[in-house]
Amino acid sequence: MDLLSNLNNAQIQAVTAKDGPILVLAGPGSGKTSVLTRRIAYLIDKLGVRSYQILAVTFTNKASKEMESRLQNILGFDKANGLFLGTFHSICVRILRREADHIDLGKNFVIFDADDQISVIKSIIKELNINDKLFKPSAVHSEISKAKNELIMPDDYPIVTFRDETVKKIYIRYQTALHQSNGVDFDDLLLLTTNLFSQNQQVLEKYSSQFKHILVDEFQDTNMVQYQLIQQLSSVNKNVFCVGDPDQSVYRWRGADYRNVANFEKDHPSCETILLEQNYRSKQTILDAAMAVIDRNPRRKRKQLFSNLGAGEQIQVYEAFDDKGEASFIVDTIKQMVSNKKSEYGDFAVMYRTNAMSRLIEETFIHSNVPYRLVGAQRFYGRREVKDFVAYLRLVQNRHDEISLGRVINVPARGIGDKTLEAAQTLAKESYLSTGEVLLNLASDPKSDFQQHFKGRALNNLIDFGKLLVKWQDYSSTLSVTELFDQLTSDIQYESYLDDGTEEGQDRWDNILELRKLTEEYNGKPLNEFLENIALVSDQDTIKEGNVPTLLTLHAAKGLEFKNVFIMGLDDGILPHSRSFNEPEEMEEERRLFYVGITRAKDRLFLVRASSRAGRGFSEDQMVSRFLRDIPESLVSTKSTFSAGVSRPGFKASYKAEESVRWASPTLPPKKPVVANTKYRPGMRVKHNVYGEGMVIGSRVQNGDEIVDIIFETAGAKKLDTSLAKLTILS
């Protein structure tokens, strides 16, 4: 085939670029995969480069397989065979196995997966007698991973605080444990390879001489150690071809650094930069909106995205009265467009900032008898933390529920292992009772005959859990569903168990808060009615393949495209996320995330928000996302709906206003006074009616409320809103 056929001028320039460092800034939908593939084919077919002299790096195995298949179709199997193609990790595995003798590692080393890594850290924390509530294994692992991605070895781990000193001890022991097992983790694959090249010039020259051309996809998502690897491997021939788009860098929390693009230009002054600005996916109106949003980010090289697909329809901005109305609008619009033969179900995607937001939209699809599929996450009621907590509630409702008991008896860990549980289950069967009844008997009767079957710590742990079960069952007859929910989360310290300081931990806790919102609809109703509702929703097979709408987070949407896209939750605090308000770099990433979502749309884009949302026991009025104010009015068609079905006048003006207007529901309680200064200071000792005594380590004003970080003596680290927490200052 003609390698340059059907390419635009900028694409041809990239494919046929001269030797040396090349940076291709590829806008969304600009055909970067085609450019990369044809560049490799051009090197082999036209310039006579042998396949084994080319290193091509992708960010997913799927992308590697797709590129390999395309090259074989273009060049034939023989010419394409031998290419060094894969992800950073897979390429480093190949190098390390070949060079294992140089790094004191057996060639048959094992790669510890995520669960293995956490298990090792757990055992070290236990061995060193470290408080696992203050030093949660997943949080410590995240800190070690960050260090490795910044090329920091255990002995060089910087110590600024007491926490740093403890993490360093764990890091040193962790690496020793991996080495003794002839094992590595995912971060080691990159770090060990980089160190090998730094410490052994002969090995570095072998590989950097072999690879006459290096090509890197998704360059904006590289971290420090990956950037260093590219620099090392291109040190001899200097022919490195990087393709990426800093405007689509949305994985900062994983260590990705979009600034590597600028670093590349700085480290390679002779670099040729090529802009791919023609978009083959979206209508021009969508691209204009995307540029209006991303242009507000500083320190970037602007791209003028353009399309030959026509202007297309105006962007639909819709404001619902509440979050239920938001979900209903999305599902009703999809059904109507399908009914009118404008689209098929598979043409639609619904995107949101966090996984927790899927709960209400999933339920609305189910109740409307519209199948859907969920990408990148389990459906809401299938998530582990949600299933665990629902199991607690089911056990409170029904002491005979053996499945729920087995699921939660040691979650969070309370020293009741499998052998102890099996012994209790066996004893229950022999006594013609349920295991729950045995626990209740142990807790209620100090002279229970069942005590003789258990010893020491195992007996005490069973009694303690039985006492909790007795307490919860007593409360279930007097407390509302929400009050019971709060009592359970407090008693088992579920927030500190889930929210370990990582992004994933926060998402898990957000899912529990979303479940709590649902309980508020059942106050005044029995617990069993709440549980029945969940069972009816969660038991349906809602995840369908084929021609169905797709639900996914904005992070999961990267690399995908759909004819019609809904982005929901366009309220300040959701998108952008509240965590970004006081962090300029995080706010920039939130804007990039919105940009990614917008540019997934081919024909139609719907931006949806809610005037109020359920939370904290009542409806809270929301502020319009500041990002909506960036989109020119000429690109937008707006409407809103309220309980009477009447559009609220002035919506367009309100979201364009310099300061967003807040529309309050008549049933809202009076607004709290806005906090201007912090009341709590680091070092203060305070008392909480549930968590006990603790010390303030930080305080800040956020959304008019004072938020404090406290280390409690028994409950560990907590982040609390002082308007709700009712703290007493002790000193």
Side-chain angles (χ1 to χ4, degrees):
M1 66 172 291
D2 181 357
L3 295 178
L4 305 182
S5 63
N6 302 318
L7 298 182
N8 61 43
N9 290 337
Q11 291 173 327
I12 292 173
Q13 182 185 358
V15 170
T16 62
K18 62 184 180 182
D19 284 358
I22 307 294
L23 180 61
V24 180
L25 299 183
S30 60
K32 72 177 181 65
T33 302
S34 181
V35 166
L36 266 170
T37 305
R38 296 201 195 191
R39 170 66 174 175
I40 296 172
Y42 185 84
L43 290 172
I44 294 173
D45 195 52
K46 302 299 183 183
L47 301 185
V49 180
R50 306 298 293 269
S51 59
Y52 65 84
Q53 296 175 318
I54 297 174
L55 170 65
V57 186
T58 65
F59 262 76
T60 66
N61 291 316
K62 180 181 178 182
S64 296
K65 291 177 181 178
E66 180 181 348
M67 186 175 290
E68 183 179 43
S69 176
R70 287 193 185 192
L71 284 169
Q72 289 177 357
N73 288 335
I74 295 172
L75 297 172
F77 178 81
D78 290 340
K79 276 191 174 183
N81 190 35
L83 186 72
F84 232 81
L85 171 62
T87 64
F88 275 101
H89 292 92
S90 66
I91 287 167
C92 286
V93 167
R94 293 169 69 179
I95 293 173
L96 290 175
R97 292 209 189 277
R98 290 181 180 181
E99 312 297 338
D101 293 341
H102 294 290
I103 54 175
D104 191 24
L105 195 66
K107 293 181 184 294
N108 62 337
F109 63 82
V110 296
I111 302 172
F112 282 38
D113 64 21
D115 289 339
D116 295 331
Q117 294 163 35
I118 296 296
S119 295
V120 173
I121 291 176
K122 280 182 179 178
S123 65
I124 293 171
I125 288 174
K126 184 176 181 181
E127 174 191 340
L128 296 177
N129 198 27
I130 295 170
N131 187 337
D132 60 1
K133 290 185 172 60
L134 297 179
F135 294 87
K136 296 180 180 178
S138 53
V140 172
H141 176 262
S142 179
E143 292 173 69
I144 292 174
S145 177
K146 181 181 178 182
K148 290 184 177 182
N149 287 332
E150 294 176 357
L151 299 167
I152 299 173
M153 298 298 288
D155 291 338
D156 301 321
Y157 192 85
I159 297 177
V160 178
T161 66
F162 167 73
R163 180 176 181 83
D164 295 335
E165 185 176 353
T166 304
V167 171
K168 181 173 183 174
K169 289 180 183 177
I170 299 171
Y171 187 6
I172 292 172
R173 291 286 191 99
Y174 174 68
Q175 287 304 108
T176 301
L178 292 181
H179 186 264
Q180 289 173 343
S181 301
N182 193 34
V184 297
D185 63 19
F186 295 119
D187 297 314
D188 284 333
L189 296 173
L190 307 178
L191 183 59
L192 291 175
T193 306
T194 302
N195 287 342
L196 169 65
F197 291 154
S198 297
Q199 297 163 10
N200 193 313
Q201 187 65 27
Q202 184 178 0
V203 174
L204 173 60
E205 287 182 1
K206 179 171 73 172
Y207 287 96
S208 57
S209 298
Q210 174 185 337
F211 298 132
K212 295 189 179 300
H213 289 270
I214 298 172
L215 300 93
V216 184
D217 192 11
E218 303 288 2
F219 184 63
Q220 77 282 349
D221 289 331
T222 54
N223 57 30
M224 185 182 294
V225 67
Q226 290 165 337
Y227 183 82
Q228 178 70 7
L229 275 169
I230 295 166
Q231 292 292 89
Q232 291 172 323
L233 288 168
S234 62
S235 58
V236 171
N237 292 299
K238 310 293 184 183
N239 297 324
V240 57
F241 185 94
C242 297
V243 181
D245 181 7
D247 293 336
Q248 297 185 73
S249 179
V250 294
Y251 297 121
R252 183 170 177 262
W253 49 280
R254 290 182 182 171
D257 191 344
Y258 72 97
R259 290 170 296 192
N260 281 343
V261 174
N263 292 337
F264 184 82
E265 292 181 295
K266 180 181 177 181
D267 292 336
H268 300 277
S270 63
C271 166
E272 179 182 1
T273 300
I274 301 169
L275 301 182
L276 300 186
E277 299 173 297
Q278 182 171 353
N279 180 286
Y280 293 91
R281 174 191 301 154
S282 306
K283 304 289 188 181
Q284 189 63 47
T285 296
I286 294 170
L287 298 179
D288 289 344
M291 286 186 288
V293 169
I294 202 64
D295 280 347
R296 296 290 297 273
N297 270 358
R299 303 182 300 276
R300 53 178 293 273
K301 182 167 291 188
R302 189 177 191 274
K303 295 182 292 298
Q304 183 63 42
L305 305 180
F306 69 93
S307 171
N308 293 330
L309 301 176
E313 298 181 9
Q314 284 187 306
I315 295 165
Q316 299 293 310
V317 176
Y318 183 85
E319 181 196 56
F321 177 70
D322 57 17
D323 42 5
K324 288 186 177 180
E326 177 184 46
S328 295
F329 166 75
I330 293 171
V331 176
D332 290 346
T333 301
I334 291 173
K335 290 176 68 176
Q336 184 178 20
M337 290 178 66
V338 170
S339 176
N340 293 340
K341 308 298 183 184
K342 287 187 177 181
S343 298
E344 297 181 354
Y345 278 120
D347 294 335
F348 294 91
V350 182
M351 302 176 187
Y352 33 81
R353 175 62 179 83
T354 63
N355 278 315
M357 294 188 70
S358 76
R359 193 268 300 177
L360 199 52
I361 190 70
E362 285 186 73
E363 288 188 0
T364 307
F365 271 110
I366 292 167
H367 294 152
S368 299
N369 293 316
V370 178
Y372 64 91
R373 63 172 175 155
L374 200 62
V375 171
Q378 289 180 301
R379 57 197 177 92
F380 181 80
Y381 292 108
R383 291 166 192 157
R384 187 192 69 190
E385 61 275 9
V386 173
K387 288 174 70 72
D388 286 347
F389 201 82
V390 169
Y392 268 109
L393 293 173
R394 285 177 174 155
L395 184 60
V396 173
Q397 173 67 23
N398 175 17
R399 66 181 68 182
H400 306 299
D401 188 339
E402 296 284 348
I403 294 176
S404 293
L405 176 64
R407 184 178 184 94
V408 303
I409 194 168
N410 206 39
V411 177
R414 49 177 62 90
I416 302 176
D418 291 342
K419 290 184 178 179
T420 301
L421 176 59
E422 288 172 6
Q425 291 170 333
T426 300
L427 180 59
K429 288 179 182 177
E430 292 174 350
S431 304
Y432 300 98
L433 298 171
S434 65
T435 310
E437 288 176 305
V438 170
L439 294 177
L440 292 173
N441 185 274
L442 284 170
S444 304
D445 184 0
K447 298 181 180 180
S448 170
D449 292 337
F450 294 136
Q451 289 191 16
Q452 61 182 314
H453 297 275
F454 305 98
K455 295 180 180 179
R457 186 179 175 187
L459 174 60
N460 292 332
N461 291 338
L462 288 173
I463 290 174
D464 288 344
F465 186 69
K467 287 180 177 178
L468 284 175
L469 192 53
V470 170
K471 173 183 175 182
W472 296 333
Q473 290 192 335
D474 288 343
Y475 280 158
S476 67
S477 60
T478 58
L479 299 182
S480 69
V481 178
T482 303
E483 289 170 335
L484 179 63
F485 189 101
D486 290 344
Q487 186 67 53
L488 263 70
T489 54
S490 174
D491 286 344
I492 65 175
Q493 299 180 23
Y494 209 44
E495 180 180 5
S496 61
Y497 168 66
L498 294 176
D499 189 359
D500 53 16
T502 65
E503 182 100 4
E504 293 88 344
Q506 179 64 55
D507 284 345
R508 288 192 290 268
W509 178 242
D510 284 346
N511 287 333
I512 296 303
L513 294 180
E514 182 64 26
L515 183 65
R516 185 188 184 279
K517 285 183 185 179
L518 183 61
T519 68
E520 294 168 1
E521 300 177 19
Y522 290 84
N523 290 333
K525 299 177 182 178
L527 175 61
N528 69 300
E529 189 170 334
F530 171 75
L531 293 173
E532 286 171 8
N533 175 273
I534 290 177
L536 290 173
V537 171
S538 60
D539 286 346
Q540 295 191 41
D541 182 17
T542 58
I543 307 176
K544 303 291 184 182
E545 297 297 330
N547 188 22
V548 295
T550 300
L551 312 186
L552 69 171
T553 65
L554 287 163
H555 281 104
K558 189 175 174 184
L560 304 177
E561 61 181 41
F562 304 89
K563 284 189 176 182
N564 310 302
V565 168
F566 292 84
I567 302 179
M568 60 186 291
L570 277 160
D571 308 324
D572 254 21
I574 297 178
L575 185 62
H577 198 284
S578 58
R579 288 194 296 266
S580 68
F581 285 176
N582 298 318
E583 298 289 341
E585 287 199 355
E586 290 194 12
M587 182 62 73
E588 290 175 26
E589 179 144 325
E590 291 293 300
R591 191 178 293 279
R592 293 196 294 270
L593 191 58
F594 187 35
Y595 172 81
V596 166
I598 291 173
T599 55
R600 300 310 95 192
K602 299 168 70 174
D603 297 337
R604 300 177 188 85
L605 176 64
F606 300 82
L607 305 178
V608 192
R609 68 172 302 268
S611 179
S612 66
R613 294 183 186 276
R616 294 197 275 190
F618 53 85
S619 294
E620 293 182 292
D621 53 323
Q622 302 293 308
M623 293 185 71
V624 178
S625 171
R626 64 194 68 187
F627 293 163
L628 280 177
R629 299 199 298 269
D630 300 332
I631 301 176
E633 290 186 49
S634 60
L635 304 178
V636 170
S637 172
T638 66
K639 61 180 178 177
S640 58
T641 186
F642 293 87
S643 56
V646 179
S647 295
R648 179 184 293 275
F651 172 61
K652 186 180 294 187
S654 70
Y655 92 81
K656 294 302 296 180
E658 187 62 26
E659 294 296 332
S660 297
V661 178
R662 303 184 82 173
W663 294 302
S665 165
T667 60
L668 284 176
K671 290 186 176 69
K672 304 185 298 292
V674 174
V675 175
N677 299 303
T678 58
K679 174 182 177 182
Y680 297 85
R681 299 285 184 270
M684 275 186 175
R685 290 197 60 77
V686 295
K687 184 176 182 180
H688 186 272
N689 60 356
V690 174
Y691 302 134
E693 295 185 12
M695 178 179 291
V696 176
I697 61 172
S699 179
R700 61 199 174 281
V701 175
Q702 183 172 303
N703 294 340
D705 292 333
E706 183 176 2
I707 308 299
V708 291
D709 296 303
I710 303 172
I711 299 293
F712 288 100
E713 294 173 357
T714 57
K718 299 288 181 183
K719 182 185 295 182
L720 302 175
D721 183 334
T722 59
S723 67
L724 302 173
K726 298 179 181 179
L727 295 170
T728 302
I729 297 176
L730 300 178
S731 62

